[in-house]
Amino acid sequence: MNGTPRGLNRFLLALLGLVLLAAGAGLVVLATVPSAAQWWQGYAGAQLDWLRDYENRSRLLLGNESWIWIAGAALSLLVVIAMISWIANQGKGRAATLLDRPGDADDDGAAGAVRISCAVAEQALKSALLERTDLLGVSVTSYDFARQTAVKVRVLPRQGVAPHKIAAEIAELVEALDELLGLEVPVLLSIGTAARSRFTKAERVR
């Protein structure tokens, strides 16, 4: 429901896993196959000699340092910026305002406005659900979804509690909240299933 780039995250994790798998397999081959170890020593030695020679030929006129180190520092800076941008994109989509509606002018001619924080709906639902003894855990969060604010309610019932009963009673709470606020709030209900809550869940949108 939030703006986290899940597709990109899965791709990066899969790519990192493949790289680590290939590196691990290569290390195993080098450690167990003598001919492969000898080939690697010769290949790596030749590449290291070429790199040292290229460093000597790429020194700057105004100093003794090679421009390779400057390029490496710039590349490292770009990688850091990309990682900061990637981290900043995680979990985007959280909302703070449930309703922001300009009001009509009052008798004095001054225009008013109606603004309701998401915390109102979140605290109202969470307080009502935490009083229940048949729930092990409750979380309520708000997100910007399809150009409007929606609320996600996740509950973890105790073992043996019927999920459909929980869903129906939470739907009644949401209807009461709608009447209290004077607007219909889109709600996504996620129900974990007792001991298997980490592996299976049911979701319901209202």
Side-chain angles (χ1 to χ4, degrees):
M1 193 177 207
N2 57 28
T4 300
R6 293 185 178 88
L8 177 60
N9 290 349
R10 294 190 180 102
F11 171 77
L12 293 177
L13 289 175
L15 181 61
L16 178 61
L18 290 176
V19 171
L20 293 177
L21 180 63
L27 290 175
V28 170
V29 171
L30 293 177
T32 56
V33 181
S35 59
Q38 293 176 358
W39 171 85
W40 174 252
Q41 289 177 356
Y43 176 80
Q47 298 302 317
L48 185 59
D49 293 339
W50 176 86
L51 183 60
R52 289 173 177 170
D53 180 65
Y54 191 81
E55 180 188 3
N56 294 329
R57 290 187 288 108
S58 61
R59 295 185 182 277
L60 298 175
L61 296 178
L62 300 179
N64 294 324
E65 297 295 333
S66 172
W67 64 265
I68 295 178
W69 302 112
I70 299 177
L75 180 61
S76 299
L77 180 61
L78 291 177
V79 171
V80 170
I81 294 174
M83 292 180 65
I84 293 175
S85 176
W86 177 72
I87 293 173
N89 283 320
Q90 306 304 308
K92 271 191 172 181
R94 294 292 296 271
T97 303
L98 186 63
L99 175 66
D100 191 359
R101 180 183 301 166
D104 298 330
D106 56 17
D107 295 337
D108 297 332
V114 177
R115 178 172 295 176
I116 301 176
S117 172
C118 291
V120 174
E122 293 175 5
Q123 293 299 325
L125 289 174
K126 192 170 184 179
S127 298
L129 293 173
L130 286 175
E131 295 178 355
R132 302 176 62 105
T133 58
D134 55 353
L135 296 179
L136 294 174
V138 176
S139 65
V140 184
T141 50
S142 301
Y143 296 96
D144 287 325
F145 181 73
R147 296 184 179 180
Q148 62 179 336
T149 302
V151 176
K152 180 177 180 180
V153 180
R154 175 163 175 78
V155 295
L156 178 60
R158 293 185 182 276
Q159 189 172 6
V161 178
H164 68 275
K165 181 181 178 181
I166 296 292
E169 293 176 353
I170 293 179
E172 294 178 359
L173 284 176
V174 173
E175 292 175 359
L177 178 65
D178 291 343
E179 294 180 2
L180 177 64
L181 299 178
L183 72 155
E184 185 172 341
V185 182
V187 175
L188 171 66
L189 175 60
S190 176
I191 303 177
T193 54
R196 296 185 300 167
S197 60
R198 294 185 179 181
F199 306 101
T200 59
K201 64 178 180 179
E203 291 188 345
R204 175 176 178 179
V205 179
R206 194 227 59 159

